Amino acid sequence: MAANMLLERIGLEWPIFQAPMAGTSTPAMAAAVSNAGGLGGLGIAAENVEGAQRMIRATQALTNRPFNVNVFCHRPAIADAALETRWIERLRPEFTALGAEPPAALREIYQTFRGNAAMTALLVELRPAIISFHFGLPDQDQVGALKQAGILLFGSATSVAEASKLADAGIDAIVAQGYEAGGHRGVFDTAAPDDRLGTVALIRLLARRCDRPVIAAGGIMDGADIVAALKLGAAAAQMGTAFVACPESSADAGYRAALASDAANHTVMTRAISGRPARCLSNRFTQATERAPDAEIPDYPITYDLGKALHAAGKAKSEFGFGAQWAGQGAPLSRPMPAAELVRTLAAELQAA
Ligand SMILES: Cc1cc2nc3c(=O)[nH]c(=O)nc-3n(C[C@H](O)[C@H](O)[C@H](O)COP(=O)(O)O)c2cc1C
Protein backbone atom coordinates (compact mmCIF):
# COMPACT_ATOMS: atom_id res chain seq x y z
CA MET A 1 0.00 0.00 0.00
CA ALA A 2 1.65 3.23 -1.14
CA ALA A 3 1.83 5.99 1.45
CA ASN A 4 -0.71 8.30 -0.22
CA MET A 5 -3.15 5.40 -0.53
CA LEU A 6 -3.46 5.07 3.24
CA LEU A 7 -5.75 8.09 3.49
CA GLU A 8 -7.78 6.91 0.51
CA ARG A 9 -8.11 3.44 1.93
CA ILE A 10 -9.34 4.79 5.28
CA GLY A 11 -11.47 7.46 3.59
CA LEU A 12 -9.99 10.58 5.21
CA GLU A 13 -9.82 14.17 4.02
CA TRP A 14 -6.74 15.13 6.05
CA PRO A 15 -3.53 13.36 7.10
CA ILE A 16 -4.32 14.39 10.67
CA PHE A 17 -4.63 11.62 13.25
CA GLN A 18 -5.62 12.41 16.83
CA ALA A 19 -3.57 10.05 18.98
CA PRO A 20 -5.51 7.50 20.96
CA MET A 21 -4.83 8.55 24.57
CA ALA A 22 -5.86 6.16 27.34
CA GLY A 23 -7.41 8.19 30.15
CA THR A 24 -7.43 11.44 28.12
CA SER A 25 -9.13 10.98 24.74
CA THR A 26 -12.91 10.54 24.82
CA PRO A 27 -15.68 9.43 22.44
CA ALA A 28 -16.62 13.12 21.99
CA MET A 29 -13.05 13.97 20.97
CA ALA A 30 -12.60 11.00 18.61
CA ALA A 31 -15.96 11.65 16.92
CA ALA A 32 -15.28 15.38 16.56
CA VAL A 33 -11.92 14.72 14.87
CA SER A 34 -13.32 12.04 12.55
CA ASN A 35 -16.35 14.19 11.65
CA ALA A 36 -13.94 17.03 10.77
CA GLY A 37 -12.15 14.78 8.25
CA GLY A 38 -9.22 13.59 10.40
CA LEU A 39 -8.85 10.27 12.20
CA GLY A 40 -10.13 10.24 15.79
CA GLY A 41 -8.69 7.78 18.28
CA LEU A 42 -9.83 6.06 21.48
CA GLY A 43 -7.36 4.61 24.00
CA ILE A 44 -8.98 1.61 25.72
CA ALA A 45 -5.85 0.20 27.39
CA ALA A 46 -7.15 1.01 30.87
CA GLU A 47 -10.64 -0.40 30.19
CA ASN A 48 -12.15 -3.81 30.77
CA VAL A 49 -14.46 -5.31 28.12
CA GLU A 50 -17.54 -3.45 29.42
CA GLY A 51 -15.72 -0.10 29.51
CA ALA A 52 -14.29 -0.62 26.03
CA GLN A 53 -17.71 -1.55 24.70
CA ARG A 54 -19.24 1.61 26.22
CA MET A 55 -16.56 3.84 24.71
CA ILE A 56 -16.67 2.33 21.22
CA ARG A 57 -20.47 2.34 21.08
CA ALA A 58 -20.57 5.94 22.33
CA THR A 59 -18.19 6.94 19.53
CA GLN A 60 -20.17 5.00 16.93
CA ALA A 61 -23.28 6.88 18.07
CA LEU A 62 -21.54 10.21 17.35
CA THR A 63 -19.90 9.45 13.99
CA ASN A 64 -20.26 7.21 10.94
CA ARG A 65 -16.67 7.98 9.97
CA PRO A 66 -13.69 5.69 10.62
CA PHE A 67 -11.85 5.94 13.94
CA ASN A 68 -8.95 4.17 15.66
CA VAL A 69 -9.18 2.02 18.80
CA ASN A 70 -5.88 1.48 20.62
CA VAL A 71 -4.77 -1.33 22.92
CA PHE A 72 -1.54 -2.08 24.83
CA CYS A 73 0.33 -5.32 24.04
CA HIS A 74 2.94 -5.51 26.82
CA ARG A 75 3.88 -8.81 28.44
CA PRO A 76 1.90 -9.41 31.66
CA ALA A 77 3.44 -7.81 34.76
CA ILE A 78 5.95 -9.70 36.90
CA ALA A 79 5.07 -9.05 40.54
CA ASP A 80 7.83 -8.63 43.14
CA ALA A 81 6.36 -7.99 46.59
CA ALA A 82 9.66 -6.89 48.19
CA LEU A 83 10.39 -4.38 45.40
CA GLU A 84 6.82 -3.07 45.54
CA THR A 85 7.03 -2.59 49.31
CA ARG A 86 10.27 -0.61 48.92
CA TRP A 87 8.57 1.54 46.28
CA ILE A 88 5.62 2.23 48.60
CA GLU A 89 8.05 3.17 51.41
CA ARG A 90 10.02 5.47 49.08
CA LEU A 91 6.85 7.48 48.42
CA ARG A 92 5.38 7.21 51.94
CA PRO A 93 6.66 10.69 52.97
CA GLU A 94 4.69 12.26 50.08
CA PHE A 95 1.50 10.55 51.29
CA THR A 96 2.24 11.59 54.89
CA ALA A 97 2.71 15.22 53.83
CA LEU A 98 -0.80 15.04 52.33
CA GLY A 99 -2.23 13.48 55.50
CA ALA A 100 -2.82 10.20 53.62
CA GLU A 101 -1.75 6.57 53.94
CA PRO A 102 -0.27 4.72 50.93
CA PRO A 103 -1.89 1.43 49.85
CA ALA A 104 -0.56 -1.65 51.69
CA ALA A 105 0.17 -3.48 48.42
CA LEU A 106 0.14 -2.76 44.68
CA ARG A 107 -1.92 -4.47 41.97
CA GLU A 108 -1.64 -5.07 38.24
CA ILE A 109 -4.33 -2.54 37.41
CA TYR A 110 -4.68 -3.24 33.66
CA GLN A 111 -4.61 -6.45 31.64
CA THR A 112 -2.60 -6.61 28.43
CA PHE A 113 -4.49 -7.11 25.16
CA ARG A 114 -2.04 -9.90 24.33
CA GLY A 115 -3.96 -13.18 24.59
CA ASN A 116 -7.17 -11.40 25.69
CA ALA A 117 -9.84 -13.44 23.88
CA ALA A 118 -12.82 -11.56 25.32
CA MET A 119 -11.48 -8.15 24.18
CA THR A 120 -10.62 -9.60 20.75
CA ALA A 121 -14.16 -10.94 20.40
CA LEU A 122 -15.57 -7.52 21.34
CA LEU A 123 -13.41 -5.73 18.77
CA VAL A 124 -14.36 -8.24 16.06
CA GLU A 125 -18.03 -7.70 16.94
CA LEU A 126 -17.90 -3.87 17.03
CA ARG A 127 -15.49 -3.71 14.10
CA PRO A 128 -13.93 -0.23 14.35
CA ALA A 129 -12.22 0.71 11.06
CA ILE A 130 -8.79 0.70 12.69
CA ILE A 131 -7.16 -0.99 15.67
CA SER A 132 -3.70 0.07 16.78
CA PHE A 133 -1.17 -1.63 19.04
CA HIS A 134 1.25 0.01 21.48
CA PHE A 135 4.13 -1.77 23.32
CA GLY A 136 4.39 -4.58 20.78
CA LEU A 137 2.13 -7.11 19.13
CA PRO A 138 -0.74 -9.30 20.27
CA ASP A 139 -0.73 -13.04 19.47
CA GLN A 140 -0.77 -13.91 15.77
CA ASP A 141 -4.25 -15.50 16.05
CA GLN A 142 -5.57 -12.17 17.38
CA VAL A 143 -3.98 -10.34 14.41
CA GLY A 144 -5.60 -12.93 12.11
CA ALA A 145 -9.05 -12.56 13.69
CA LEU A 146 -8.99 -8.74 13.44
CA LYS A 147 -7.77 -8.79 9.83
CA GLN A 148 -10.39 -11.40 8.96
CA ALA A 149 -12.99 -8.93 10.28
CA GLY A 150 -11.73 -6.36 7.74
CA ILE A 151 -10.09 -4.12 10.35
CA LEU A 152 -7.00 -2.14 9.34
CA LEU A 153 -4.13 -2.57 11.83
CA PHE A 154 -1.52 -0.02 12.96
CA GLY A 155 1.39 -0.62 15.32
CA SER A 156 3.81 1.77 17.09
CA ALA A 157 7.53 1.43 16.45
CA THR A 158 10.43 3.37 17.97
CA SER A 159 13.07 1.67 15.80
CA VAL A 160 13.55 -0.08 12.45
CA ALA A 161 13.75 -3.44 14.25
CA GLU A 162 10.33 -2.95 15.88
CA ALA A 163 8.82 -1.77 12.56
CA SER A 164 10.15 -4.95 10.86
CA LYS A 165 8.47 -7.12 13.50
CA LEU A 166 5.17 -5.29 12.90
CA ALA A 167 5.48 -5.64 9.11
CA ASP A 168 6.36 -9.35 9.41
CA ALA A 169 3.22 -9.88 11.50
CA GLY A 170 1.06 -8.31 8.73
CA ILE A 171 0.42 -4.93 10.38
CA ASP A 172 -0.80 -2.47 7.71
CA ALA A 173 0.83 0.82 8.79
CA ILE A 174 3.53 1.85 11.26
CA VAL A 175 3.24 4.70 13.79
CA ALA A 176 6.82 6.02 13.96
CA GLN A 177 7.03 7.36 17.51
CA GLY A 178 10.02 9.63 18.12
CA TYR A 179 11.62 10.30 21.51
CA GLU A 180 9.95 13.74 21.62
CA ALA A 181 6.51 12.17 21.92
CA GLY A 182 4.23 12.66 24.88
CA GLY A 183 2.82 9.72 26.84
CA HIS A 184 4.12 6.19 26.93
CA ARG A 185 7.00 5.28 24.70
CA GLY A 186 5.97 2.34 22.55
CA VAL A 187 9.17 0.30 23.02
CA PHE A 188 8.46 -3.43 22.86
CA ASP A 189 11.04 -4.56 25.46
CA THR A 190 11.88 -2.08 28.21
CA ALA A 191 14.94 -4.15 29.23
CA ALA A 192 16.55 -3.77 25.78
CA PRO A 193 18.81 -0.82 24.91
CA ASP A 194 16.87 2.17 23.52
CA ASP A 195 18.46 4.28 20.75
CA ARG A 196 16.01 7.11 21.53
CA LEU A 197 15.57 8.08 17.88
CA GLY A 198 13.99 11.47 17.27
CA THR A 199 10.92 11.79 15.06
CA VAL A 200 12.81 13.13 12.00
CA ALA A 201 15.42 10.36 11.90
CA LEU A 202 12.82 7.68 12.60
CA ILE A 203 10.36 8.81 9.88
CA ARG A 204 13.19 8.93 7.34
CA LEU A 205 14.59 5.53 8.34
CA LEU A 206 11.20 3.86 8.18
CA ALA A 207 10.25 5.60 4.92
CA ARG A 208 13.38 4.10 3.38
CA ARG A 209 13.65 0.74 5.14
CA CYS A 210 10.07 -0.38 5.71
CA ASP A 211 7.50 -1.26 3.05
CA ARG A 212 4.50 0.02 5.06
CA PRO A 213 2.98 3.51 5.23
CA VAL A 214 4.52 5.54 8.05
CA ILE A 215 2.49 7.67 10.45
CA ALA A 216 4.72 10.28 12.13
CA ALA A 217 4.32 10.90 15.89
CA GLY A 218 6.23 13.03 18.37
CA GLY A 219 6.41 16.80 18.78
CA ILE A 220 4.02 17.56 15.89
CA MET A 221 1.92 20.58 16.89
CA ASP A 222 0.91 22.59 13.80
CA GLY A 223 0.42 22.46 10.03
CA ALA A 224 4.06 23.25 9.28
CA ASP A 225 5.12 20.24 11.36
CA ILE A 226 2.67 18.02 9.47
CA VAL A 227 4.00 19.24 6.10
CA ALA A 228 7.56 18.53 7.27
CA ALA A 229 6.59 14.98 8.28
CA LEU A 230 4.89 14.38 4.92
CA LYS A 231 7.97 15.71 3.10
CA LEU A 232 10.10 13.22 5.01
CA GLY A 233 7.94 10.41 3.68
CA ALA A 234 5.16 10.03 6.24
CA ALA A 235 1.61 9.35 5.05
CA ALA A 236 0.04 11.16 8.02
CA ALA A 237 0.84 12.73 11.39
CA GLN A 238 -0.46 11.46 14.73
CA MET A 239 -0.73 14.16 17.39
CA GLY A 240 -1.40 13.62 21.09
CA THR A 241 -0.24 16.63 23.11
CA ALA A 242 -1.89 19.05 20.65
CA PHE A 243 -5.30 17.57 21.58
CA VAL A 244 -4.90 17.33 25.38
CA ALA A 245 -6.05 20.94 25.92
CA CYS A 246 -9.24 20.47 23.84
CA PRO A 247 -12.41 20.82 25.93
CA GLU A 248 -13.41 17.27 24.85
CA SER A 249 -10.40 15.69 26.61
CA SER A 250 -10.73 14.29 30.11
CA ALA A 251 -7.62 16.15 31.33
CA ASP A 252 -8.33 17.61 34.78
CA ALA A 253 -7.99 21.30 35.67
CA GLY A 254 -4.49 20.80 37.10
CA TYR A 255 -3.22 19.11 33.93
CA ARG A 256 -4.69 21.89 31.75
CA ALA A 257 -3.20 24.60 33.96
CA ALA A 258 0.24 22.91 33.90
CA LEU A 259 0.12 22.62 30.12
CA ALA A 260 -0.64 26.35 29.85
CA SER A 261 2.19 27.26 32.26
CA ASP A 262 5.99 27.36 32.16
CA ALA A 263 5.90 23.63 33.09
CA ALA A 264 5.16 22.93 29.41
CA ASN A 265 8.77 23.89 28.65
CA HIS A 266 10.08 21.08 30.85
CA THR A 267 9.08 17.55 29.92
CA VAL A 268 10.85 14.47 31.28
CA MET A 269 11.01 10.82 30.24
CA THR A 270 10.30 8.76 33.35
CA ARG A 271 9.47 5.18 34.34
CA ALA A 272 8.42 6.18 37.83
CA ILE A 273 4.77 6.94 37.07
CA SER A 274 3.70 3.66 35.50
CA GLY A 275 6.75 1.37 35.33
CA ARG A 276 7.36 2.04 31.61
CA PRO A 277 9.16 5.03 30.06
CA ALA A 278 6.76 7.87 29.28
CA ARG A 279 7.11 11.61 28.68
CA CYS A 280 5.40 13.88 31.19
CA LEU A 281 5.45 17.51 32.30
CA SER A 282 7.95 18.02 35.10
CA ASN A 283 5.88 18.19 38.28
CA ARG A 284 5.93 17.23 41.97
CA PHE A 285 5.73 13.54 41.15
CA THR A 286 8.60 13.53 38.63
CA GLN A 287 10.71 15.67 40.99
CA ALA A 288 10.02 13.38 43.95
CA THR A 289 11.08 10.31 41.95
CA GLU A 290 13.86 11.67 39.72
CA ARG A 291 16.61 9.94 41.68
CA ALA A 292 14.89 6.54 41.78
CA PRO A 293 17.08 4.00 39.96
CA ASP A 294 15.24 1.98 37.29
CA ALA A 295 15.98 -1.22 39.22
CA GLU A 296 13.95 0.11 42.16
CA ILE A 297 10.82 0.76 40.07
CA PRO A 298 8.26 -2.09 39.99
CA ASP A 299 6.95 -3.56 36.75
CA TYR A 300 4.36 -1.91 34.47
CA PRO A 301 1.52 -1.31 35.32
CA ILE A 302 1.98 -2.23 38.99
CA THR A 303 3.93 1.02 39.59
CA TYR A 304 0.98 3.00 38.22
CA ASP A 305 -1.22 1.79 41.10
CA LEU A 306 0.88 3.84 43.57
CA GLY A 307 1.14 6.87 41.24
CA LYS A 308 -2.64 6.96 40.89
CA ALA A 309 -3.12 6.63 44.67
CA LEU A 310 -0.74 9.54 45.30
CA HIS A 311 -2.47 11.66 42.64
CA ALA A 312 -5.85 10.94 44.28
CA ALA A 313 -4.44 11.89 47.72
CA GLY A 314 -3.03 15.10 46.22
CA LYS A 315 -6.25 16.02 44.43
CA ALA A 316 -8.18 15.63 47.67
CA LYS A 317 -6.00 18.49 48.97
CA SER A 318 -6.18 20.49 45.68
CA GLU A 319 -2.58 19.50 44.87
CA PHE A 320 -2.52 18.47 41.18
CA GLY A 321 1.25 18.06 40.87
CA PHE A 322 1.23 14.28 41.34
CA GLY A 323 -0.82 13.60 38.18
CA ALA A 324 0.41 11.76 35.09
CA GLN A 325 0.55 14.92 33.00
CA TRP A 326 1.71 13.30 29.76
CA ALA A 327 3.07 15.76 27.19
CA GLY A 328 5.56 15.84 24.33
CA GLN A 329 8.38 18.30 23.73
CA GLY A 330 6.08 20.51 21.61
CA ALA A 331 3.83 21.17 24.65
CA PRO A 332 4.43 24.95 24.81
CA LEU A 333 2.82 25.17 21.34
CA SER A 334 -0.43 23.63 22.54
CA ARG A 335 -3.57 25.61 21.56
CA PRO A 336 -6.70 25.08 23.66
CA MET A 337 -9.65 24.92 21.25
CA PRO A 338 -12.41 22.44 20.39
CA ALA A 339 -11.11 19.34 18.59
CA ALA A 340 -12.99 20.01 15.32
CA GLU A 341 -11.66 23.57 15.27
CA LEU A 342 -8.13 22.27 15.86
CA VAL A 343 -8.48 19.88 12.89
CA ARG A 344 -9.79 22.74 10.70
CA THR A 345 -6.96 25.01 11.87
CA LEU A 346 -4.33 22.34 11.18
CA ALA A 347 -5.87 21.64 7.75
CA ALA A 348 -5.78 25.36 6.85
CA GLU A 349 -2.15 25.63 7.98
CA LEU A 350 -1.31 22.51 5.99
CA GLN A 351 -2.85 23.96 2.84
CA ALA A 352 -1.17 27.33 3.37
CA ALA A 353 2.20 25.60 3.74
C1 LIG B 1 -2.01 12.11 27.17
C2 LIG B 1 -1.42 11.10 26.24
C3 LIG B 1 -1.86 9.78 26.30
C4 LIG B 1 -1.38 8.82 25.39
N1 LIG B 1 -1.90 7.56 25.42
C5 LIG B 1 -1.58 6.70 24.41
C6 LIG B 1 -2.27 5.46 24.28
O1 LIG B 1 -3.17 5.11 25.06
N2 LIG B 1 -1.90 4.66 23.25
C7 LIG B 1 -0.93 5.01 22.34
O2 LIG B 1 -0.66 4.25 21.41
N3 LIG B 1 -0.27 6.16 22.45
C8 LIG B 1 -0.58 7.02 23.45
N4 LIG B 1 0.07 8.22 23.54
C9 LIG B 1 1.17 8.52 22.59
C10 LIG B 1 0.62 9.00 21.25
O3 LIG B 1 0.12 7.92 20.51
C11 LIG B 1 1.71 9.67 20.37
O4 LIG B 1 2.79 8.80 20.19
C12 LIG B 1 2.22 10.96 20.97
O5 LIG B 1 1.18 11.72 21.53
C13 LIG B 1 2.93 11.79 19.90
O6 LIG B 1 3.65 12.83 20.46
P1 LIG B 1 3.00 14.27 20.82
O7 LIG B 1 2.31 14.06 22.13
O8 LIG B 1 4.19 15.13 20.91
O9 LIG B 1 2.04 14.62 19.74
C14 LIG B 1 -0.39 9.19 24.45
C15 LIG B 1 0.07 10.52 24.41
C16 LIG B 1 -0.43 11.47 25.28
C17 LIG B 1 0.06 12.89 25.18
Side-chain angles (χ1 to χ4, degrees), residues 19-22 24 70 72 134 177 181-183 217-219 238-241 255 326 328:
M21 297 182 280
T24 301
N70 178 263
F72 286 175
H134 208 43
Q177 191 198 36
Q238 175 160 303
M239 309 162 74
T241 304
Y255 190 176
W326 307 129

Side-chain angles (χ1 to χ4, degrees), residues 5-51:
M5 283 173 62
L6 181 69
L7 298 193
E8 254 174 64
R9 176 153 173 206
I10 304 174
L12 298 181
E13 275 168 69
W14 306 111
I16 300 169
F17 294 6
Q18 168 248 312
M21 297 182 280
T24 301
S25 55
T26 59
M29 174 184 284
V33 171
S34 290
N35 286 335
L39 183 70
L42 287 180
I44 61 163
E47 303 293 330
N48 58 19
V49 171
E50 293 71 36

